[in-house]
């Protein structure tokens, strides 16, 4: 495969390319982004740095990703990712890049997240999505009925409805729409990213590239109604701007001296100043949208037994639950390819893997029918 014969000195990216050539097209689509993320995470150039400690750190990294709701990574998938890397390292051993496979050591795997074989089933059901939207719409109607509520309340309620509609119908990840703290690339959706007429939004996807996500009519209309009230002064204005005062103040501080800023804030509202000078505030963060959804879920649960809320058990309508719910609904209706397209999975195999529990249930139902016919 390579002219190098001494273990450790071979370029990792070259060996990855050769390994991918040995896989089927479907397997390559799934494995390639995992190996690329692994290599970039540890800035690997040669195999000199690939040892048990690095594999252990990769286990720790995967474990942390499972705890991030915006990443939408289950414990089972994390362990699968590690298995992909371990298989690649076995290939590297055969190609004389390593003496032994460091991922085989117990020490390398003991930090992987536990997986009891049960998939997390927290997702928005169609009924939960419907009830959540109906509740948000009632709040909007109430704010607009005479006497009309203050503009800030109207904007907030239209924003909440738009958040539920976008999450519920588009299949986007929270990190693709809202700002992720500590990640400058994920700074939230702007109005320039929204094409209502074309029924699409542009997001920075899990693949670390920009992708086009579908925007069904009900989500598009909720956004359009919200935009008319928000009146963003520029196309680069965030769709869901933060209401965090210190963050908005920092946006102004980048353009004005402390002394002038103090004088301005004594005379004008901070939102008015941001708009007048076209200084966009930061987007609502993934943490912020989870707080909003917790509050909404608690209120809805008081009125309806369709939606559950448990603060202690962290049960509420989570952003990644909306994505899973949409995929689940499309998949159970026999539209695996449509689910793949809506969720932007790299291949339909990824979709099948994500909803293998549904396939198993369908097989059980079909077997039951056959056995009943024989009785």
């Amino acid at each position: 495969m390579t002219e190098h014969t001494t273990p450790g000195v071979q370029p990792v990216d070259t060996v990855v390319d050769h390994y991918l050539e040995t896989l089927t097209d479907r397997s390559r689509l799934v494995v390639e982004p995992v190996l690329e993320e692994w290599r970039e995470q540890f800035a690997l150039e040669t195999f000199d740095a690939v040892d048990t400690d690095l594999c252990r750190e990769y286990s720790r990294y995967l474990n942390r990703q499972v705890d991030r709701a915006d990443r939408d990574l289950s414990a089972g998938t994390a362990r699968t990712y590690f298995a992909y890397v371990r298989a690649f390292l076995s290939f590297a051993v055969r190609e004389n890049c390593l003496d032994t496979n460091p991922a085989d050591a117990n020490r390398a795997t003991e930090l992987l997240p536990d997986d009891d074989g049960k998939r997390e089933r927290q997702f928005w059901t169609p009924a939960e999505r419907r009830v959540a939207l109906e509740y948000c719409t009632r709040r909007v109607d109430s704010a607009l009925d005479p006497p009309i509520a203050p503009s800030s309340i109207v904007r907030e309620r239209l924003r909440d409805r738009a958040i539920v509609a976008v999450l519920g119908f588009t299949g986007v990840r929270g990190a693709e729409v809202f700002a992720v703290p500590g990640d400058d690339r994920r700074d939230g959706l702007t109005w320039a990213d929204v094409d209502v007429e074309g029924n699409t939004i542009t997001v920075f996807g899990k693949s670390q590239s920009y992708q086009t996500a579908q925007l069904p009519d009900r989500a598009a209309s909720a956004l359009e109604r919200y935009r008319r009230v928000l009146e963003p002064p520029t196309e680069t204005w965030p769709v869901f701007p933060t209401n965090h005062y210190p963050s908005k103040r920092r946006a102004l501080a980048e353009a004005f001296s402390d002394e002038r800023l103090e004088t301005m804030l004594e005379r004008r509202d901070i939102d008015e100043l941001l708009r007048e000078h076209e200084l966009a505030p930061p987007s609502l963060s993934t943490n912020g949208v989870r707080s909003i959804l917790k509050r909404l879920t608690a209120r809805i649960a008081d009125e309806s037994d369709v939606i559950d809320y448990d603060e202690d058990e962290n049960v509420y309508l989570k952003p990644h639950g909306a994505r899973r719910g949409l995929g689940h609904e499309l998949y159970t209706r026999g539209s695996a390819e449509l689910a793949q397209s809506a969720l932007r999975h790299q291949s339909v195999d990824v979709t099948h893997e994500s909803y293998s529990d549904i396939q198993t249930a369908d097989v059980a139902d079909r077997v039951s029918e056959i056995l009943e016919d024989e009785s």
Side-chain angles (χ1 to χ4, degrees), residues 80 167 187 220 286 320:
T80 299
L167 290 175
D187 53 2
T286 50
H320 67 289

Side-chain angles (χ1 to χ4, degrees), residues 138-156:
R138 287 199 303 273
R139 293 181 75 230
V140 169
D141 293 343
S142 174
L144 294 176
D145 283 342
I148 297 177
S151 58
S152 60
I153 292 179
V154 174
R155 280 198 303 270
E156 178 185 301

Side-chain angles (χ1 to χ4, degrees), residues 34 37 58-82 84 112-114 119-120 173 206 320 323-324 353:
V34 176
E37 181 185 36
Y58 182 51
S59 295
R60 192 195 312 273
Y61 166 77
L62 290 173
N63 205 330
R64 289 197 300 264
Q65 299 306 298
V66 170
D67 291 334
R68 287 176 50 183
D70 56 272
R71 177 68 190 265
D72 194 17
L73 188 72
S74 69
T77 301
R79 297 182 76 91
T80 299
Y81 285 4
F82 189 89
Y84 291 160
L112 284 171
D114 293 330
R119 293 180 180 271
E120 182 184 354
R173 301 174 179 87
K206 184 178 179 181
H320 67 289
R323 173 180 167 84
R324 289 179 178 173
E353 180 183 354

Side-chain angles (χ1 to χ4, degrees), residues 311-368:
E311 183 176 5
D312 295 334
E313 295 296 328
N314 202 31
V315 175
Y316 65 98
L317 293 177
K318 300 174 184 176
H320 67 289
R323 173 180 167 84
R324 289 179 178 173
L326 178 66
H328 188 277
E329 182 178 2
L330 296 175
Y331 197 93
T332 53
R333 293 189 179 187
S335 302
E337 288 76 14
L338 183 58
Q340 175 203 353
S341 179
L343 302 182
R344 289 167 289 119
H345 284 158
Q346 290 184 314
S347 73
V348 75
D349 287 348
V350 177
T351 310
H352 286 313
E353 180 183 354
S354 299
Y355 297 100
S356 62
D357 57 324
I358 300 175
Q359 295 184 68
T360 302
D362 288 344
V363 170
D365 289 342
R366 292 171 63 185
V367 169
S368 296

